[in-house]
Amino acid sequence: MDTDLLIVGGGPAGCAAAVMAASVGMRSVLIESGDTVCGALRRIPVVSNVLGVTNGPDLATAIEADLARCDLCRVALDSRATTIDAFDDRVEVAVEPVTPVGSARGPGARLTAPYVVVATGVGPLGPEGAGWLGGVAGRALPPLWEADPAAVDGRTVLVLGADRPLGTVARAHPELRTRFVVAYPPEDAYKIEEIRRDSRVELVAVRRLEFGPSSAPVTAEVRTVEGERRVLTADLAFLNLGSAPAPPAGAVAADPSGYCPPRSQHPRVFTAGDLRSVRFQRIATAMGSGGEAALGAYYASRGLPTESGGLPTEIGGPPTKTDGPPTEVGGPPDPAGGG
Ligand SMILES: Cc1cc2nc3c(=O)[nH]c(=O)nc-3n(C[C@H](O)[C@H](O)[C@H](O)COP(=O)(O)OP(=O)(O)OC[C@H]3O[C@@H](n4cnc5c(N)ncnc54)[C@H](O)[C@@H]3O)c2cc1C
């Protein structure tokens, strides 16, 4: 074995797994495709729901320093895990170097350990997966979180989808005099709470949006959820559709929505962070689940169960016979994940 624990993904979930593993004496190798850990955090200017921090870059710097002090963890940057294979006695992760476009790629590696924590997060959804959008082919639609504040100040911006980066932009830039016209499908309705009181935001619930030919100004014909037809006009348009998980190929099991709940995995594979569920995509939950995944591997390595498995017989007594059909406890799995 190369190490005690392989960790794929160096966001808050993977980094928390690394320090937790070290705290119980486990060596780990953390495989990160970027040139730094916590790349996503570095793009969040304001954080208001994590104890002890107020912005993403400071948190990323603090996490990086914690990892640097962690003797038992080796961080492999610029390294992409392509495949994860799980066997009875080990896991194997195929890793290839990430090199700048056009330069020669070095040799890959195959790392082996008793357990792997997979915390590869989610990536932005493209317009091709959004059936409610039309006329998007060949149109430049950058993600909203990449918008340059100076370029949108004083302008009308058409935002496609009501995902959370809009709240981040609005909170981070109260000074912006931007008008955000947000066209969103019914399935995004639960996301608007964070932004609907911002006077710069106009929310338009739509069933269909079809772009017109012009790109400056942008025009789009929409059919609203009430059946009304409207034409929206803006200076610029940005995507804000949400994200989807993209774990390495192989042993990581996904549910029908594409997310990878911990309970569905091979006994040697632990998933953590945003990858687990569409519902719990937050920094604090990512860190908590990363630490929990590492502890899961630690207890498994010692043959100690982590599920309670019901009451011990001395307390609960012998099982009693019941009439009627067995009752299902917990209900069917949540198709959208559930973490
Ligand atoms: C604009 C924006 C604003 C946000 N604001 C907040 C906020 O205010 N509060 C909050 O709680 N949350 C916020 N979030 C969500 C938060 O960033 C995530 O919940 C958190 O980063 C998830 O951590 P993670 O470790 O699961 O995934 P990530 O942080 O996405 O880390 C995953 C890592 O895995 C790496 N990776 C992916 N595939 C591979 C591979 N095959 N091999 C090797 N490495 C790989 C990636 O490079 C990445 O570094 C925000 C997100 C965005 C996009």
Side-chain angles (χ1 to χ4, degrees):
M1 302 279 180
D2 294 299
T3 186
D4 300 324
L5 180 66
L6 290 166
I7 300 168
V8 182
C15 294
V19 295
M20 183 62 84
S23 78
V24 291
M26 290 176 96
R27 295 169 307 144
S28 66
V29 176
L30 185 150
I31 302 153
E32 165 57 47
S33 57
D35 59 4
T36 175
V37 293
C38 294
L41 294 189
R42 294 174 202 273
R43 295 190 292 266
I44 308 176
V46 179
V47 171
S48 55
N49 59 354
V50 181
L51 294 170
V53 292
T54 56
N55 68 76
D58 284 355
L59 178 57
T61 304
I63 291 174
E64 198 172 23
D66 284 343
L67 275 188
R69 279 192 293 272
C70 187
D71 290 339
L72 292 180
C73 175
R74 179 166 73 80
V75 179
L77 297 175
D78 296 316
S79 304
R80 183 187 311 285
T82 53
T83 315
I84 298 175
D85 293 310
F87 304 95
D88 286 349
D89 60 341
R90 70 190 186 287
V91 292
E92 292 184 11
V93 178
V95 182
E96 67 178 30
V98 177
T99 46
V101 180
S103 56
R105 177 173 292 162
R110 207 167 169 82
L111 299 176
T112 307
Y115 302 97
V116 64
V117 171
V118 187
T120 47
V122 293
L125 276 174
E128 57 291 333
W132 57 281
L133 289 177
V136 289
R139 185 178 286 274
L141 290 168
L144 180 67
W145 53 265
E146 280 181 4
D148 174 4
V152 300
D153 196 14
R155 313 191 77 183
T156 298
V157 166
L158 176 61
V159 180
L160 304 171
D163 204 48
R164 301 191 60 243
L166 178 59
T168 304
V169 171
R171 269 197 316 279
H173 298 286
E175 80 289 356
L176 282 185
R177 291 162 299 120
T178 305
R179 185 170 158 248
F180 296 101
V181 180
V182 184
Y184 67 97
E187 57 269 25
D188 274 11
Y190 75 96
K191 299 176 179 173
I192 64 174
E193 207 49 45
E194 203 176 328
I195 40 161
R196 73 185 170 82
R197 277 179 287 275
D198 191 315
S199 59
R200 298 167 297 177
V201 172
E202 181 190 349
L203 292 164
V204 187
V206 304
R207 297 220 179 274
R208 176 84 189 152
L209 180 149
E210 186 77 35
F211 275 103
S214 150
S215 50
V218 178
T219 59
E221 185 174 320
V222 298
R223 187 158 50 82
T224 67
V225 290
E226 293 86 18
E228 189 193 342
R229 284 192 189 280
R230 281 181 63 183
V231 173
L232 306 178
T233 309
D235 300 308
L236 300 159
F238 290 94
L239 283 183
N240 190 36
L241 296 173
S243 40
V252 184
D255 66 16
S257 67
Y259 284 89
C260 308
R263 64 175 178 274
S264 310
Q265 304 306 319
H266 185 281
R268 295 188 177 277
V269 176
F270 294 81
T271 52
D274 284 8
L275 176 72
R276 293 168 306 151
S277 148
V278 71
R279 295 280 178 254
F280 297 100
Q281 299 188 1
R282 297 291 189 279
I283 297 162
T285 53
M287 289 203 248
S289 67
E292 205 169 298
L295 284 179
Y298 170 72
Y299 289 124
S301 72
R302 275 149 182 73
L304 298 170
T306 47
E307 302 293 337
S308 65
L311 289 173
T313 41
E314 313 85 83
I315 299 172
T320 46
K321 188 175 179 307
T322 53
D323 295 328
T327 329
E328 200 178 328
V329 179
D334 175 359

PDB file of all heavy atoms in Angstrom, residues 153 155 157 166-167 169-182 195-203:
ATOM      1  N   ASP A 153     -21.536  46.940 -13.451  1.00  0.00           N
ATOM      2  CA  ASP A 153     -22.040  48.080 -12.686  1.00  0.00           C
ATOM      3  C   ASP A 153     -22.844  49.014 -13.595  1.00  0.00           C
ATOM      4  O   ASP A 153     -22.394  49.370 -14.692  1.00  0.00           O
ATOM      5  CB  ASP A 153     -20.863  48.836 -12.048  1.00  0.00           C
ATOM      6  CG  ASP A 153     -21.337  49.772 -10.952  1.00  0.00           C
ATOM      7  OD1 ASP A 153     -22.501  49.632 -10.513  1.00  0.00           O
ATOM      8  OD2 ASP A 153     -20.550  50.639 -10.540  1.00  0.00           O
ATOM      9  N   ARG A 155     -25.484  48.409 -15.271  1.00  0.00           N
ATOM     10  CA  ARG A 155     -26.043  47.790 -16.461  1.00  0.00           C
ATOM     11  C   ARG A 155     -27.174  46.822 -16.092  1.00  0.00           C
ATOM     12  O   ARG A 155     -27.354  46.475 -14.925  1.00  0.00           O
ATOM     13  CB  ARG A 155     -24.944  47.053 -17.220  1.00  0.00           C
ATOM     14  CG  ARG A 155     -23.716  47.946 -17.361  1.00  0.00           C
ATOM     15  CD  ARG A 155     -22.713  47.412 -18.302  1.00  0.00           C
ATOM     16  NE  ARG A 155     -23.131  47.625 -19.689  1.00  0.00           N
ATOM     17  CZ  ARG A 155     -22.437  47.196 -20.738  1.00  0.00           C
ATOM     18  NH1 ARG A 155     -21.334  46.521 -20.550  1.00  0.00           N
ATOM     19  NH2 ARG A 155     -22.850  47.425 -21.958  1.00  0.00           N
ATOM     20  N   VAL A 157     -28.494  43.112 -16.403  1.00  0.00           N
ATOM     21  CA  VAL A 157     -27.892  41.807 -16.616  1.00  0.00           C
ATOM     22  C   VAL A 157     -28.986  40.745 -16.581  1.00  0.00           C
ATOM     23  O   VAL A 157     -29.766  40.695 -15.622  1.00  0.00           O
ATOM     24  CB  VAL A 157     -26.845  41.545 -15.506  1.00  0.00           C
ATOM     25  CG1 VAL A 157     -26.434  40.088 -15.481  1.00  0.00           C
ATOM     26  CG2 VAL A 157     -25.639  42.439 -15.693  1.00  0.00           C
ATOM     27  N   LEU A 166     -25.745  34.019  -7.301  1.00  0.00           N
ATOM     28  CA  LEU A 166     -26.359  35.345  -7.392  1.00  0.00           C
ATOM     29  C   LEU A 166     -26.394  35.994  -6.009  1.00  0.00           C
ATOM     30  O   LEU A 166     -26.075  37.189  -5.857  1.00  0.00           O
ATOM     31  CB  LEU A 166     -27.780  35.224  -7.972  1.00  0.00           C
ATOM     32  CG  LEU A 166     -28.548  36.538  -8.065  1.00  0.00           C
ATOM     33  CD1 LEU A 166     -27.817  37.554  -8.938  1.00  0.00           C
ATOM     34  CD2 LEU A 166     -29.955  36.294  -8.609  1.00  0.00           C
ATOM     35  N   GLY A 167     -26.752  35.214  -4.995  1.00  0.00           N
ATOM     36  CA  GLY A 167     -26.758  35.739  -3.628  1.00  0.00           C
ATOM     37  C   GLY A 167     -25.362  36.173  -3.211  1.00  0.00           C
ATOM     38  O   GLY A 167     -25.184  37.204  -2.549  1.00  0.00           O
ATOM     39  N   VAL A 169     -22.869  37.217  -5.193  1.00  0.00           N
ATOM     40  CA  VAL A 169     -22.515  38.464  -5.890  1.00  0.00           C
ATOM     41  C   VAL A 169     -23.240  39.644  -5.236  1.00  0.00           C
ATOM     42  O   VAL A 169     -22.649  40.695  -4.969  1.00  0.00           O
ATOM     43  CB  VAL A 169     -22.878  38.351  -7.395  1.00  0.00           C
ATOM     44  CG1 VAL A 169     -22.725  39.700  -8.080  1.00  0.00           C
ATOM     45  CG2 VAL A 169     -22.005  37.314  -8.081  1.00  0.00           C
ATOM     46  N   ALA A 170     -24.532  39.465  -4.957  1.00  0.00           N
ATOM     47  CA  ALA A 170     -25.320  40.563  -4.379  1.00  0.00           C
ATOM     48  C   ALA A 170     -24.788  40.957  -2.995  1.00  0.00           C
ATOM     49  O   ALA A 170     -24.639  42.139  -2.676  1.00  0.00           O
ATOM     50  CB  ALA A 170     -26.784  40.146  -4.298  1.00  0.00           C
ATOM     51  N   ARG A 171     -24.465  39.945  -2.167  1.00  0.00           N
ATOM     52  CA  ARG A 171     -23.952  40.235  -0.814  1.00  0.00           C
ATOM     53  C   ARG A 171     -22.578  40.868  -0.858  1.00  0.00           C
ATOM     54  O   ARG A 171     -22.261  41.782  -0.112  1.00  0.00           O
ATOM     55  CB  ARG A 171     -23.838  38.931  -0.014  1.00  0.00           C
ATOM     56  CG  ARG A 171     -25.034  38.556   0.792  1.00  0.00           C
ATOM     57  CD  ARG A 171     -24.703  37.516   1.850  1.00  0.00           C
ATOM     58  NE  ARG A 171     -23.872  36.432   1.394  1.00  0.00           N
ATOM     59  CZ  ARG A 171     -24.303  35.366   0.726  1.00  0.00           C
ATOM     60  NH1 ARG A 171     -25.580  35.265   0.433  1.00  0.00           N
ATOM     61  NH2 ARG A 171     -23.482  34.410   0.359  1.00  0.00           N
ATOM     62  N   ALA A 172     -21.746  40.382  -1.789  1.00  0.00           N
ATOM     63  CA  ALA A 172     -20.363  40.868  -1.845  1.00  0.00           C
ATOM     64  C   ALA A 172     -20.279  42.279  -2.404  1.00  0.00           C
ATOM     65  O   ALA A 172     -19.318  42.991  -2.137  1.00  0.00           O
ATOM     66  CB  ALA A 172     -19.521  39.925  -2.698  1.00  0.00           C
ATOM     67  N   HIS A 173     -21.276  42.677  -3.202  1.00  0.00           N
ATOM     68  CA  HIS A 173     -21.196  43.979  -3.885  1.00  0.00           C
ATOM     69  C   HIS A 173     -22.464  44.795  -3.668  1.00  0.00           C
ATOM     70  O   HIS A 173     -23.210  45.070  -4.614  1.00  0.00           O
ATOM     71  CB  HIS A 173     -20.942  43.758  -5.378  1.00  0.00           C
ATOM     72  CG  HIS A 173     -19.646  43.060  -5.640  1.00  0.00           C
ATOM     73  ND1 HIS A 173     -18.430  43.697  -5.501  1.00  0.00           N
ATOM     74  CD2 HIS A 173     -19.371  41.785  -5.995  1.00  0.00           C
ATOM     75  CE1 HIS A 173     -17.459  42.827  -5.768  1.00  0.00           C
ATOM     76  NE2 HIS A 173     -18.003  41.666  -6.063  1.00  0.00           N
ATOM     77  N   PRO A 174     -22.687  45.237  -2.420  1.00  0.00           N
ATOM     78  CA  PRO A 174     -23.875  46.065  -2.188  1.00  0.00           C
ATOM     79  C   PRO A 174     -23.798  47.396  -2.935  1.00  0.00           C
ATOM     80  O   PRO A 174     -24.811  48.062  -3.140  1.00  0.00           O
ATOM     81  CB  PRO A 174     -23.862  46.278  -0.658  1.00  0.00           C
ATOM     82  CG  PRO A 174     -22.469  45.981  -0.223  1.00  0.00           C
ATOM     83  CD  PRO A 174     -21.912  45.004  -1.204  1.00  0.00           C
ATOM     84  N   GLU A 175     -22.580  47.781  -3.353  1.00  0.00           N
ATOM     85  CA  GLU A 175     -22.401  49.069  -4.015  1.00  0.00           C
ATOM     86  C   GLU A 175     -22.807  49.038  -5.494  1.00  0.00           C
ATOM     87  O   GLU A 175     -22.999  50.083  -6.119  1.00  0.00           O
ATOM     88  CB  GLU A 175     -20.924  49.515  -3.896  1.00  0.00           C
ATOM     89  CG  GLU A 175     -19.931  48.878  -4.878  1.00  0.00           C
ATOM     90  CD  GLU A 175     -19.614  47.388  -4.643  1.00  0.00           C
ATOM     91  OE1 GLU A 175     -20.117  46.842  -3.647  1.00  0.00           O
ATOM     92  OE2 GLU A 175     -18.904  46.785  -5.464  1.00  0.00           O
ATOM     93  N   LEU A 176     -22.947  47.834  -6.069  1.00  0.00           N
ATOM     94  CA  LEU A 176     -23.236  47.742  -7.502  1.00  0.00           C
ATOM     95  C   LEU A 176     -24.612  48.309  -7.823  1.00  0.00           C
ATOM     96  O   LEU A 176     -25.589  47.997  -7.139  1.00  0.00           O
ATOM     97  CB  LEU A 176     -23.184  46.289  -7.978  1.00  0.00           C
ATOM     98  CG  LEU A 176     -21.823  45.655  -8.200  1.00  0.00           C
ATOM     99  CD1 LEU A 176     -21.998  44.255  -8.776  1.00  0.00           C
ATOM    100  CD2 LEU A 176     -20.977  46.504  -9.128  1.00  0.00           C
ATOM    101  N   ARG A 177     -24.694  49.094  -8.897  1.00  0.00           N
ATOM    102  CA  ARG A 177     -25.995  49.607  -9.338  1.00  0.00           C
ATOM    103  C   ARG A 177     -26.479  48.778 -10.542  1.00  0.00           C
ATOM    104  O   ARG A 177     -26.936  49.304 -11.533  1.00  0.00           O
ATOM    105  CB  ARG A 177     -25.864  51.089  -9.707  1.00  0.00           C
ATOM    106  CG  ARG A 177     -25.613  51.986  -8.500  1.00  0.00           C
ATOM    107  CD  ARG A 177     -25.056  53.325  -8.906  1.00  0.00           C
ATOM    108  NE  ARG A 177     -23.776  53.155  -9.601  1.00  0.00           N
ATOM    109  CZ  ARG A 177     -23.543  53.562 -10.846  1.00  0.00           C
ATOM    110  NH1 ARG A 177     -24.462  54.174 -11.545  1.00  0.00           N
ATOM    111  NH2 ARG A 177     -22.356  53.359 -11.418  1.00  0.00           N
ATOM    112  N   THR A 178     -26.341  47.498 -10.428  1.00  0.00           N
ATOM    113  CA  THR A 178     -26.738  46.585 -11.508  1.00  0.00           C
ATOM    114  C   THR A 178     -28.203  46.204 -11.342  1.00  0.00           C
ATOM    115  O   THR A 178     -28.682  46.038 -10.221  1.00  0.00           O
ATOM    116  CB  THR A 178     -25.882  45.301 -11.439  1.00  0.00           C
ATOM    117  OG1 THR A 178     -24.509  45.674 -11.470  1.00  0.00           O
ATOM    118  CG2 THR A 178     -26.202  44.354 -12.585  1.00  0.00           C
ATOM    119  N   ARG A 179     -28.927  46.089 -12.481  1.00  0.00           N
ATOM    120  CA  ARG A 179     -30.281  45.523 -12.419  1.00  0.00           C
ATOM    121  C   ARG A 179     -30.173  44.068 -12.860  1.00  0.00           C
ATOM    122  O   ARG A 179     -29.734  43.788 -13.978  1.00  0.00           O
ATOM    123  CB  ARG A 179     -31.189  46.316 -13.367  1.00  0.00           C
ATOM    124  CG  ARG A 179     -32.607  45.908 -13.307  1.00  0.00           C
ATOM    125  CD  ARG A 179     -33.490  46.878 -14.082  1.00  0.00           C
ATOM    126  NE  ARG A 179     -34.711  46.200 -14.440  1.00  0.00           N
ATOM    127  CZ  ARG A 179     -35.068  45.866 -15.662  1.00  0.00           C
ATOM    128  NH1 ARG A 179     -34.332  46.220 -16.686  1.00  0.00           N
ATOM    129  NH2 ARG A 179     -36.191  45.220 -15.883  1.00  0.00           N
ATOM    130  N   PHE A 180     -30.484  43.145 -11.954  1.00  0.00           N
ATOM    131  CA  PHE A 180     -30.399  41.717 -12.265  1.00  0.00           C
ATOM    132  C   PHE A 180     -31.800  41.218 -12.643  1.00  0.00           C
ATOM    133  O   PHE A 180     -32.694  41.167 -11.782  1.00  0.00           O
ATOM    134  CB  PHE A 180     -29.913  40.921 -11.053  1.00  0.00           C
ATOM    135  CG  PHE A 180     -28.515  41.250 -10.611  1.00  0.00           C
ATOM    136  CD1 PHE A 180     -28.289  42.092  -9.519  1.00  0.00           C
ATOM    137  CD2 PHE A 180     -27.417  40.713 -11.274  1.00  0.00           C
ATOM    138  CE1 PHE A 180     -26.992  42.390  -9.103  1.00  0.00           C
ATOM    139  CE2 PHE A 180     -26.114  41.007 -10.862  1.00  0.00           C
ATOM    140  CZ  PHE A 180     -25.906  41.857  -9.779  1.00  0.00           C
ATOM    141  N   VAL A 181     -31.991  40.882 -13.914  1.00  0.00           N
ATOM    142  CA  VAL A 181     -33.261  40.280 -14.333  1.00  0.00           C
ATOM    143  C   VAL A 181     -33.027  38.767 -14.325  1.00  0.00           C
ATOM    144  O   VAL A 181     -32.250  38.243 -15.127  1.00  0.00           O
ATOM    145  CB  VAL A 181     -33.661  40.761 -15.743  1.00  0.00           C
ATOM    146  CG1 VAL A 181     -34.976  40.110 -16.152  1.00  0.00           C
ATOM    147  CG2 VAL A 181     -33.772  42.282 -15.768  1.00  0.00           C
ATOM    148  N   VAL A 182     -33.668  38.093 -13.389  1.00  0.00           N
ATOM    149  CA  VAL A 182     -33.374  36.676 -13.164  1.00  0.00           C
ATOM    150  C   VAL A 182     -34.516  35.825 -13.720  1.00  0.00           C
ATOM    151  O   VAL A 182     -35.618  35.807 -13.186  1.00  0.00           O
ATOM    152  CB  VAL A 182     -33.197  36.392 -11.656  1.00  0.00           C
ATOM    153  CG1 VAL A 182     -32.798  34.935 -11.431  1.00  0.00           C
ATOM    154  CG2 VAL A 182     -32.164  37.333 -11.059  1.00  0.00           C
ATOM    155  N   ILE A 195     -32.399  36.067  -2.369  1.00  0.00           N
ATOM    156  CA  ILE A 195     -32.199  37.266  -3.194  1.00  0.00           C
ATOM    157  C   ILE A 195     -33.455  38.080  -3.416  1.00  0.00           C
ATOM    158  O   ILE A 195     -33.392  39.195  -3.924  1.00  0.00           O
ATOM    159  CB  ILE A 195     -31.651  36.857  -4.591  1.00  0.00           C
ATOM    160  CG1 ILE A 195     -32.352  35.584  -5.067  1.00  0.00           C
ATOM    161  CG2 ILE A 195     -30.136  36.706  -4.575  1.00  0.00           C
ATOM    162  CD1 ILE A 195     -32.250  35.349  -6.521  1.00  0.00           C
ATOM    163  N   ARG A 196     -34.629  37.538  -3.007  1.00  0.00           N
ATOM    164  CA  ARG A 196     -35.844  38.196  -3.468  1.00  0.00           C
ATOM    165  C   ARG A 196     -36.091  39.553  -2.813  1.00  0.00           C
ATOM    166  O   ARG A 196     -36.857  40.354  -3.321  1.00  0.00           O
ATOM    167  CB  ARG A 196     -37.055  37.276  -3.347  1.00  0.00           C
ATOM    168  CG  ARG A 196     -37.563  37.017  -1.980  1.00  0.00           C
ATOM    169  CD  ARG A 196     -38.686  36.005  -2.010  1.00  0.00           C
ATOM    170  NE  ARG A 196     -39.007  35.604  -0.672  1.00  0.00           N
ATOM    171  CZ  ARG A 196     -39.800  36.309   0.123  1.00  0.00           C
ATOM    172  NH1 ARG A 196     -40.371  37.396  -0.314  1.00  0.00           N
ATOM    173  NH2 ARG A 196     -40.011  35.908   1.363  1.00  0.00           N
ATOM    174  N   ARG A 197     -35.425  39.838  -1.682  1.00  0.00           N
ATOM    175  CA  ARG A 197     -35.628  41.138  -1.052  1.00  0.00           C
ATOM    176  C   ARG A 197     -34.646  42.196  -1.555  1.00  0.00           C
ATOM    177  O   ARG A 197     -34.707  43.343  -1.159  1.00  0.00           O
ATOM    178  CB  ARG A 197     -35.536  41.012   0.470  1.00  0.00           C
ATOM    179  CG  ARG A 197     -36.853  40.553   1.085  1.00  0.00           C
ATOM    180  CD  ARG A 197     -36.733  40.403   2.587  1.00  0.00           C
ATOM    181  NE  ARG A 197     -35.937  39.217   2.914  1.00  0.00           N
ATOM    182  CZ  ARG A 197     -36.449  37.993   3.005  1.00  0.00           C
ATOM    183  NH1 ARG A 197     -37.727  37.790   2.829  1.00  0.00           N
ATOM    184  NH2 ARG A 197     -35.685  36.969   3.288  1.00  0.00           N
ATOM    185  N   ASP A 198     -33.730  41.817  -2.431  1.00  0.00           N
ATOM    186  CA  ASP A 198     -32.759  42.766  -2.973  1.00  0.00           C
ATOM    187  C   ASP A 198     -33.446  43.597  -4.061  1.00  0.00           C
ATOM    188  O   ASP A 198     -33.936  43.052  -5.050  1.00  0.00           O
ATOM    189  CB  ASP A 198     -31.561  41.996  -3.562  1.00  0.00           C
ATOM    190  CG  ASP A 198     -30.393  42.902  -3.892  1.00  0.00           C
ATOM    191  OD1 ASP A 198     -30.617  43.973  -4.494  1.00  0.00           O
ATOM    192  OD2 ASP A 198     -29.249  42.555  -3.545  1.00  0.00           O
ATOM    193  N   SER A 199     -33.494  44.915  -3.860  1.00  0.00           N
ATOM    194  CA  SER A 199     -34.267  45.768  -4.780  1.00  0.00           C
ATOM    195  C   SER A 199     -33.663  45.798  -6.188  1.00  0.00           C
ATOM    196  O   SER A 199     -34.313  46.230  -7.129  1.00  0.00           O
ATOM    197  CB  SER A 199     -34.364  47.185  -4.215  1.00  0.00           C
ATOM    198  OG  SER A 199     -33.050  47.688  -4.052  1.00  0.00           O
ATOM    199  N   ARG A 200     -32.440  45.333  -6.341  1.00  0.00           N
ATOM    200  CA  ARG A 200     -31.827  45.313  -7.685  1.00  0.00           C
ATOM    201  C   ARG A 200     -32.262  44.106  -8.490  1.00  0.00           C
ATOM    202  O   ARG A 200     -31.959  43.999  -9.675  1.00  0.00           O
ATOM    203  CB  ARG A 200     -30.298  45.306  -7.548  1.00  0.00           C
ATOM    204  CG  ARG A 200     -29.743  46.527  -6.868  1.00  0.00           C
ATOM    205  CD  ARG A 200     -28.285  46.323  -6.474  1.00  0.00           C
ATOM    206  NE  ARG A 200     -28.131  45.254  -5.494  1.00  0.00           N
ATOM    207  CZ  ARG A 200     -26.962  44.824  -5.026  1.00  0.00           C
ATOM    208  NH1 ARG A 200     -25.843  45.356  -5.468  1.00  0.00           N
ATOM    209  NH2 ARG A 200     -26.902  43.859  -4.127  1.00  0.00           N
ATOM    210  N   VAL A 201     -32.952  43.164  -7.834  1.00  0.00           N
ATOM    211  CA  VAL A 201     -33.284  41.891  -8.483  1.00  0.00           C
ATOM    212  C   VAL A 201     -34.745  41.884  -8.933  1.00  0.00           C
ATOM    213  O   VAL A 201     -35.646  42.178  -8.154  1.00  0.00           O
ATOM    214  CB  VAL A 201     -33.036  40.720  -7.499  1.00  0.00           C
ATOM    215  CG1 VAL A 201     -33.558  39.404  -8.067  1.00  0.00           C
ATOM    216  CG2 VAL A 201     -31.551  40.610  -7.175  1.00  0.00           C
ATOM    217  N   GLU A 202     -34.975  41.556 -10.219  1.00  0.00           N
ATOM    218  CA  GLU A 202     -36.334  41.300 -10.702  1.00  0.00           C
ATOM    219  C   GLU A 202     -36.427  39.808 -11.029  1.00  0.00           C
ATOM    220  O   GLU A 202     -35.654  39.302 -11.850  1.00  0.00           O
ATOM    221  CB  GLU A 202     -36.636  42.114 -11.967  1.00  0.00           C
ATOM    222  CG  GLU A 202     -38.057  41.865 -12.464  1.00  0.00           C
ATOM    223  CD  GLU A 202     -38.327  42.463 -13.850  1.00  0.00           C
ATOM    224  OE1 GLU A 202     -37.492  43.239 -14.340  1.00  0.00           O
ATOM    225  OE2 GLU A 202     -39.369  42.121 -14.432  1.00  0.00           O
ATOM    226  N   LEU A 203     -37.352  39.129 -10.376  1.00  0.00           N
ATOM    227  CA  LEU A 203     -37.469  37.678 -10.570  1.00  0.00           C
ATOM    228  C   LEU A 203     -38.570  37.363 -11.582  1.00  0.00           C
ATOM    229  O   LEU A 203     -39.689  37.868 -11.445  1.00  0.00           O
ATOM    230  CB  LEU A 203     -37.792  37.010  -9.233  1.00  0.00           C
ATOM    231  CG  LEU A 203     -36.657  37.060  -8.207  1.00  0.00           C
ATOM    232  CD1 LEU A 203     -37.170  36.750  -6.809  1.00  0.00           C
ATOM    233  CD2 LEU A 203     -35.554  36.077  -8.587  1.00  0.00           C
TER     234      LEU A 203
END
